Amino acid sequence: MYVRLLAPACGLGLLVACGDATQSTSEAGDPSGPATTGGLTTGGVVVPPTSTTTSTGSSGTSVPTTEGPEKYDLPDDEEVPGCGAVDVLFVVDNSKSMAQYQSALADAFPQFVDAMIDNLPKGVDLHVGITTTDFYCTGAGQACCPDNCPVGNTQCQIGTTPEEVEAIDQYYLPPTSGDNGANGSQGRLFVHDGMAYFATSTDVDPAPLKAWFTGAATAAGEQGSSLEMPVAAAAYATSATNAAANDGFLRDKDAVLLVFFLTNDPDASVEVLSSYTAMVRDAKADCGGDACILTAGLIKKCVPAENQKLWQFMKAFGEEPIWGDIEDKAGYVEIVGEALAATLGDACIHIPIG
């Protein structure tokens, strides 16, 4: 069952909750987005369906419920306002211990594709790509910060003091400082079967897309740094610094961007949050900025609970993020599939894209 909080301040009725919380020390005063946490979870999943009835949730909150996402049954000849393209960027943690989660994401992806196509208008161009959370390891696959990192990342807050940031910084090589040569590293798209991303549309057979992604998600592997930097990865994937490597993937005007995170650790990105959110906003300026940017993820439960940097990034844009507990692999189909695709379809149809 899907649930959505009655939270009009979230806008568009798409999602989750708008609770009050205290911003983390490392990002206090950062203007990139609201520093709030919250969300109603069911089986570790926070989702935004279209609702039909009302019931009382486990917390006593009145929530609308539905047995599935809304389908947009539009006549074939009806002109639908909104996006003409959708770009889906998966930021996949490629550190040690991630194989089981990558496999679970790959297993859930076909259902996501089916639900996405069901919920998007006809004739929408789709680009799907992957980047990893690594900003240090070289293309040679050498062991780099797997066991002897200066700051252990089993805690949920990491890099919150100047001393920690200085220690982590030696394992942070942004693309502006040079190319480490690793496939899918530093915000470059992960090349699989000779393709940096998969291009298709809602009008064609989705089987090739499903096959490509399920292979790419697991091929990302576990050779990346254990100081995961998904926020930096999402930002630099949209940055002009990686324009050559990622050429053609990201569209601006008339295109919705969905950034989806898969990581079982908190974010260790070194730069201030506003520098990362600015990269994404600049890439979507002609489309309308925040209105064209959606975020979602399968993440560690403490990340939203403690307002970690990854959560601050996910909440920095137009709509509340959809998220699920990465440990709840049985729930991947729900969060990656129907619920997420319904939100993407709703955004594509209803967000005013200039």
Side-chain angles (χ1 to χ4, degrees):
M1 178 174 290
Y2 303 99
V3 292
R4 179 182 60 178
L5 283 184
L6 291 169
C10 291
L12 275 183
L14 280 180
L15 170 52
V16 205
C18 297
D20 294 326
T22 303
Q23 194 169 23
S24 70
T25 303
S26 61
E27 296 299 336
D30 191 298
S32 302
T36 58
T37 62
L40 181 62
T41 61
T42 298
V45 179
V46 180
V47 293
T50 300
S51 57
T52 56
T53 61
T54 300
S55 65
T56 300
S58 59
S59 63
T61 305
S62 177
V63 296
T65 62
T66 180
E67 293 304 318
E70 177 182 0
K71 298 289 191 294
Y72 297 102
D73 297 321
L74 299 167
D76 292 345
D77 58 352
E78 181 173 333
E79 183 175 345
V80 180
C83 73
V86 170
D87 302 321
V88 185
L89 174 67
F90 284 85
V91 181
V92 176
D93 188 339
N94 66 330
S95 64
K96 190 162 61 176
S97 81
M98 280 300 298
Q100 59 177 314
Y101 307 111
Q102 294 169 2
S103 294
L105 176 66
D107 289 344
F109 185 77
Q111 289 92 331
F112 167 57
V113 173
D114 290 338
M116 179 172 62
I117 290 175
D118 247 359
N119 282 278
L120 287 172
K122 294 182 181 298
V124 173
D125 288 331
L126 302 175
H127 285 179
V128 179
I130 293 173
T131 191
T132 73
T133 56
D134 175 52
F135 271 77
Y136 185 71
C137 298
T138 70
Q142 69 179 44
C144 54
C145 197
D147 301 312
N148 59 346
C149 293
V151 180
N153 60 355
T154 55
Q155 57 183 326
C156 206
Q157 294 291 350
I158 184 170
T160 58
T161 68
E163 292 76 19
E164 285 183 336
V165 172
E166 183 179 359
I168 294 169
D169 189 56
Q170 64 180 305
Y171 295 97
Y172 178 55
L173 181 67
T176 50
S177 299
D179 186 339
N180 67 1
N183 186 12
S185 184
Q186 298 173 293
R188 292 184 298 277
L189 295 176
F190 183 80
V191 178
H192 179 67
D193 283 350
M195 291 182 286
Y197 63 91
F198 199 98
T200 184
S201 82
T202 55
D203 292 339
V204 303
D205 182 3
L209 168 60
K210 295 176 182 179
W212 179 84
F213 183 90
T214 53
T218 52
E222 298 180 289
Q223 296 300 312
S225 173
S226 61
L227 284 173
E228 296 93 328
M229 301 182 180
V231 169
Y236 277 109
T238 67
S239 170
T241 306
N242 282 323
N246 299 346
D247 183 45
F249 170 70
L250 189 68
R251 280 76 62 87
D252 191 351
K253 189 175 182 180
D254 298 330
V256 171
L257 170 64
L258 168 63
V259 182
F260 189 98
F261 296 94
L262 179 78
T263 179
N264 66 343
D265 277 307
D267 181 85
S269 303
V270 172
E271 299 174 51
V272 295
L273 184 65
S274 57
S275 68
Y276 295 126
T277 55
M279 293 183 207
V280 183
R281 288 192 175 105
D282 287 348
K284 301 300 293 179
D286 289 342
C287 175
D290 285 14
C292 302
I293 304 165
L294 301 175
T295 63
L298 292 161
I299 56 180
K300 199 171 183 177
K301 285 194 298 184
C302 66
V303 166
E306 298 186 21
N307 198 31
Q308 208 269 333
K309 192 170 192 172
L310 172 57
W311 186 243
Q312 294 178 36
F313 179 89
M314 291 175 67
K315 287 175 64 67
F317 304 105
E319 289 299 325
E320 290 284 330
I322 307 169
W323 70 278
D325 180 6
I326 191 170
E327 300 298 337
D328 180 23
K329 291 185 283 293
Y332 280 21
V333 169
E334 183 178 24
I335 190 69
V336 182
E338 297 178 33
L340 180 56
T343 299
L344 183 58
D346 191 68
C348 183
I349 291 174
H350 292 112
I351 287 178
I353 301 176

